[in-house]
Amino acid sequence: MNEEKKPLGGTAIKPVGWDRSGLEKFQYFLYDPDTGAFLSRTPSSWVKIILFYSIYYSLLTIFWVSCLQIFFMTLPNDTPKWTLDESIIGSNPGLGLRPRMQDSRIDSSMYALAAGSKDTVPTNPEGEGSKNIDYAVRMKHFLGVYQNQTGLDNCSSDANQVRVEGERNCIFDISVLAECGEYPYGYLVNQPETNVAEPCILLKFNKIWNWSPKPVDESKLDNPEYDTMSENLKTRILKSMDKNYVWVDCAGRNPADRESVRIEYFPPNQGIHLKYFPYRGNTYHTPLVAIKLRQVGEPVYYGQLIHLECRAWFDGVIHDTKDKLGLVQFELQLQPMN
């Protein structure tokens, strides 16, 4: 008698409900009457997974908050943790320029101006444009912060010494900037005797917490580190009765640049009082020196790119053109009106 032959291998066991489709399949996903599961999990499975993630995220939150608390406990409340030489900024500030460039040219250092501009209408209220008047508007916005004198002291009668701990910051009187503190700051031709713009540029120190500069020691002016200081500034320092200043010295970088423009300083002594230092936060008026770039006779050097450099001078200053330490470099171009 012949036995029936069976195929080798197993037979796949299909799960219950494998042939469901469409709405019936969705209904069983929401609730399965056979197992009591809803949304594909039984009640006991939901309780276990909710309990697990509740504990997991609670512990994770406690760990994260603890790390933040430990981090903030290591920081002072009102001052940076690392200052001066311990910080990345160091104790050798660079110089900044105002007015700043418009946002679209924020990485540029070239003041490209129309030599004979009389246009008094800015591109917009913020002066975000390339017209001469836009530079003046941005300068006006910058100087506007000096109207806030809350929490500042009038130090006009104080000794010209750095402020000690606990003393409030000093008011900076922008009247010392003379015509460079008055709108439109030389960016427009608005005087009958002039036929070309003679812009003002403000020089400011980058703020470094608790930096107290020391004045130049006049006995060291013959040392090699002062070889790049102009003879005019050396003479000014030697003749000055009050030496407690941080000095600023500007010039063209090349002989052709120096022949094309004359630099006038406001205040005329080229210095910033030590009483405006150090910076310790709160309301603060950044001290300024203004330079006015005047033409040297005729002809006007239309279209010439004039390269300029301003250096700060105080005891121990380091000048580095690569990292812009202790100095700032910029360009001026006066373009003829069409």
Side-chain angles (χ1 to χ4, degrees):
M1 185 175 178
N2 295 329
E3 295 183 0
E4 184 181 353
K5 295 183 178 179
K6 296 181 179 180
L8 296 176
T11 302
I13 300 175
K14 297 179 180 179
V16 177
W18 67 272
D19 55 346
R20 298 184 191 126
S21 61
L23 182 59
E24 182 184 11
K25 186 176 183 179
F26 180 68
Q27 289 175 337
Y28 268 84
F29 169 73
L30 294 179
Y31 177 71
D32 187 343
D34 297 331
T35 62
F38 61 94
L39 299 179
S40 76
R41 287 185 179 274
T42 62
S44 61
S45 177
W46 276 115
V47 170
K48 292 176 183 177
I49 196 170
I50 291 173
L51 182 61
F52 170 78
Y53 278 108
S54 296
I55 296 173
Y56 173 76
Y57 283 113
S58 296
L59 293 176
L60 188 62
T61 301
I62 293 172
F63 175 76
W64 180 69
V65 171
S66 299
C67 288
L68 283 180
Q69 290 297 322
I70 293 172
F71 173 75
F72 285 116
M73 286 174 59
T74 63
L75 296 178
N77 291 328
D78 302 321
T79 63
K81 182 176 177 61
W82 292 286
T83 62
L84 300 175
D85 291 336
E86 295 179 350
S87 68
I88 297 177
I89 298 175
S91 56
N92 195 84
L95 290 173
L97 300 173
R98 293 294 183 275
R100 60 173 180 80
M101 298 298 168
Q102 65 265 35
D103 289 344
S104 60
R105 296 180 54 242
I106 197 66
D107 58 341
S108 174
S109 62
M110 185 177 76
Y111 291 84
L113 305 173
S117 177
K118 298 181 181 180
D119 184 359
T120 60
V121 181
T123 302
N124 52 49
E126 292 73 34
E128 286 296 332
S130 59
K131 298 196 294 185
N132 288 28
I133 191 63
D134 290 322
Y135 286 94
V137 169
R138 294 196 294 272
M139 178 93 90
K140 184 178 181 179
H141 288 331
F142 171 74
L143 290 177
V145 302
Y146 289 80
Q147 297 177 4
N148 179 18
Q149 300 180 358
T150 304
L152 298 173
D153 283 344
N154 185 348
C155 308
S156 57
S157 60
D158 293 2
N160 185 15
Q161 303 288 340
V162 296
R163 310 295 281 174
V164 300
E165 189 73 34
E167 287 186 312
R168 298 196 300 182
N169 298 320
C170 292
I171 296 171
F172 182 81
D173 184 5
I174 61 174
S175 66
V176 301
L177 304 179
E179 59 190 281
C180 283
E182 300 172 358
Y183 188 82
Y185 318 107
Y187 285 88
L188 299 182
V189 180
N190 58 358
Q191 299 295 331
E193 65 273 12
T194 61
N195 60 359
V196 64
E198 294 182 329
C200 291
I201 295 176
L202 304 179
L203 302 171
K204 57 180 284 292
F205 280 100
N206 297 333
K207 289 185 287 190
I208 295 181
W209 189 280
N210 215 30
W211 177 64
S212 298
K214 296 180 180 179
V216 172
D217 186 348
E218 61 180 325
S219 65
K220 299 179 180 179
L221 289 178
D222 292 331
N223 292 358
E225 60 264 31
Y226 295 105
D227 286 346
T228 56
M229 180 186 287
S230 69
E231 292 301 320
N232 287 338
L233 181 55
K234 288 182 180 180
T235 301
R236 187 180 300 278
I237 294 174
L238 292 172
K239 290 184 177 181
S240 176
M241 297 296 294
D242 186 357
K243 313 293 183 182
N244 290 334
Y245 283 88
V246 178
W247 309 94
V248 175
D249 200 14
C250 301
R253 279 183 268 169
N254 306 300
D257 302 320
R258 292 189 285 272
E259 292 174 358
S260 304
V261 69
R262 177 171 60 87
I263 298 174
E264 187 174 349
Y265 296 89
F266 300 97
N269 68 350
Q270 303 178 227
I272 295 175
H273 286 278
L274 292 189
K275 65 185 178 184
Y276 296 110
F277 301 96
Y279 168 69
R280 295 194 182 103
N282 301 318
T283 305
Y284 182 70
H285 282 180
T286 302
L288 305 168
V289 170
I291 58 172
K292 191 170 185 65
L293 304 176
R294 298 192 183 277
Q295 291 299 310
V296 182
E298 297 290 344
V300 177
Y301 293 86
Y302 292 125
Q304 177 182 339
L305 187 62
I306 303 173
H307 301 80
L308 298 156
E309 180 179 275
C310 293
R311 297 192 172 209
W313 290 100
F314 51 87
D315 188 52
V317 66
I318 298 174
H319 295 124
D320 189 313
T321 56
K322 180 181 178 181
D323 294 327
K324 300 298 185 290
L325 297 178
L327 55 81
V328 65
Q329 295 178 329
F330 61 100
E331 295 78 38
L332 171 69
Q333 186 180 53
L334 294 177
Q335 302 165 345
M337 299 288 290
N338 295 326

